[in-house]
Amino acid sequence: MIEVRPYRPRFAAQVFGLPPGTRLGPAAANALRQAWLDYGVVIVRGLHYGDDDLVAVSRVFGEPELAPASERQARGGGLRPDVWVVSNVIENGRPIGSLGYGEAEWHSDMSYLAEPPTASLLYALEVSPEGGDTWFADMAAAHDALAPDLKAAIAGERINHPSSLTATGDLRLGATRPADVRSAPGTLHPAIEVHPETGRATLFLGRRRWARIEGLDLAASEELLDRLWAHATRPAFVHVHRWQVGDLVIWDNRRVLHRRDAFDPAARRIMHRTQVRGSAVGRG
Ligand code: SIN
């Protein structure tokens, strides 16, 4: 029997009673999916997942999306193409995963794609004793609380979601540093999207660095983006997750931004992430 206990009335919930990913029946799968739609972030604790469980539970939300291509190449072969390793651990002189130990800035996963992932799932295999917390911000609540003038300023605008940088500010493999934010490659998305499944309006901001608002001069774009980001990441919209081994966090990448605190480089932190293929159908 699945039980859902919210942290806030409409954002972030812990789910209890989930069977292993490879043995999820239709009732458990439906309850999990509904909790994800209702709360945007779903946390399950005390699991003993292998990658088969992680990929099986990912299928509750849709088809697995390949891990970011450049990162997959960087960490070599031998791993599943749909599981992305997030880690600071170095073995035989090579990082076993991506994002290291530094702060990861606020972002949506892979929003440089025309059809960004709908869900992201992050499973903790090893965690740092301190630091490494992951923060989630509710962009549906942020949209609803927009000041009228800010809402009017971004209505109908599109934001370029840059593709060249990871959330820790590193250049992706094969990317080059643009001379100017205006020439940063990326994908345009509406600043306000209507969630195709819940019908709620949400801010869809991607990441701040190297973003720009289409058609505005650079100074105006920077000023408007700074205002938007300051609003969107206010503590009122944020839930912070302190990890334990065996935690699985599933978030709605269309509704939720996330960031990660830095942690001690000498500590080991290993997470496996999957992402679920997006669809342009129904995007606002
Ligand atoms: C991510 O941005 O997907 C990883 C977040 C984390 O390492 O907690």
Side-chain angles (χ1 to χ4, degrees), residues 253-272:
N253 196 46
R254 300 163 290 188
R255 167 178 169 187
V256 175
L257 286 171
H258 61 287
R259 66 170 291 281
R260 179 195 75 196
D261 288 333
F263 56 96
D264 179 358
R268 286 171 62 95
R269 186 176 188 270
I270 304 178
M271 325 287 274
H272 281 192

Side-chain angles (χ1 to χ4, degrees), residues 161-255:
H161 291 225
S163 56
S164 308
L165 288 180
T166 70
T168 43
D170 298 318
L171 271 183
R172 292 185 196 280
L173 215 69
T176 48
R177 195 166 287 278
D180 185 295
V181 75
R182 283 168 290 207
S183 56
T187 299
L188 289 165
H189 294 290
I192 298 175
E193 300 257 23
V194 175
H195 193 292
E197 292 181 85
T198 65
R200 283 186 82 185
T202 68
L203 291 176
F204 193 60
L205 304 185
R207 58 196 69 207
R208 174 64 186 91
R209 239 200 270 204
W210 294 2
R212 68 173 192 281
I213 298 180
E214 183 189 33
L216 294 191
D217 71 39
L218 190 53
S221 167
E222 291 287 304
E223 192 189 326
L224 190 47
L225 284 173
D226 282 346
R227 264 193 85 195
L228 255 183
W229 278 92
H231 167 78
T233 55
R234 276 168 38 199
F237 312 130
V238 172
H239 174 76
V240 180
H241 184 66
R242 169 102 279 267
W243 291 93
Q244 294 170 9
V245 170
D247 284 356
L248 172 68
V249 180
I250 308 167
W251 61 92
D252 187 333
N253 196 46
R254 300 163 290 188
R255 167 178 169 187

Side-chain angles (χ1 to χ4, degrees), residues 84 86 99 104 107 109 122 132-134 167 243 251 258-260 269 271 273:
W84 193 50
V86 176
L99 299 184
H107 64 284
D109 287 327
L122 192 62
D133 296 356
T134 307
W243 291 93
W251 61 92
H258 61 287
R259 66 170 291 281
R260 179 195 75 196
R269 186 176 188 270
M271 325 287 274
R273 196 190 85 189

